[in-house]
Amino acid sequence: MADLKDFAEQLVNLTVKEVNELATILKEEYGIEPAAAAVAMAGPAGGGDAAADEQTEFDVILKAPGGAKLAVVKLVKELTGAGLKDAKDLVDNAPSPIKEGVSKDEAEALKAQLEEAGAEVELK
């Protein structure tokens, strides 16, 4: 088991060039197409500008409640699990964060729901 952990550590610490060389060896010598694995490994191991530029966590900020304030308060209550008073306070004190540190997909879904209710929303 320790050997597998050492091997995993070696794989994680490969550079992009080494990952490409490994992919070539696997393909030419063993007939294995490791395209998906090479891409997955190249992301975190690269540590270059591309990894630094891509944001993985987003904050959903309510900028303004819009015309349908009551609908936005109800939706914020539902989305955050907060009580009615807390949800109203969040909406009244806009701009305010609704959710922080969420995935891009979740942030976009929350933004779409809030905008549909009439709110003005920003992702950071």
Side-chain angles (χ1 to χ4, degrees), residues 19-103:
V19 169
N20 287 331
E21 289 174 17
L22 177 61
T24 302
I25 292 168
L26 289 173
K27 182 178 179 182
E28 291 176 358
E29 293 184 21
Y30 299 98
I32 298 171
E33 288 282 341
V39 170
M41 288 173 45
D49 293 334
D53 289 344
E54 188 160 342
Q55 185 175 349
T56 58
E57 291 186 349
F58 295 84
D59 296 341
V60 180
I61 310 295
L62 176 69
K63 290 177 68 176
K69 184 177 171 182
L70 182 58
V72 173
V73 170
K74 287 181 181 180
L75 184 58
V76 167
K77 177 183 179 291
E78 178 183 321
L79 295 174
T80 62
L84 185 59
K85 182 181 181 334
D86 293 334
K88 183 180 181 306
D89 289 344
L90 280 173
V91 173
D92 286 342
N93 296 320
S96 57
I98 300 301
K99 283 208 172 182
E100 297 176 315
V102 297
S103 69

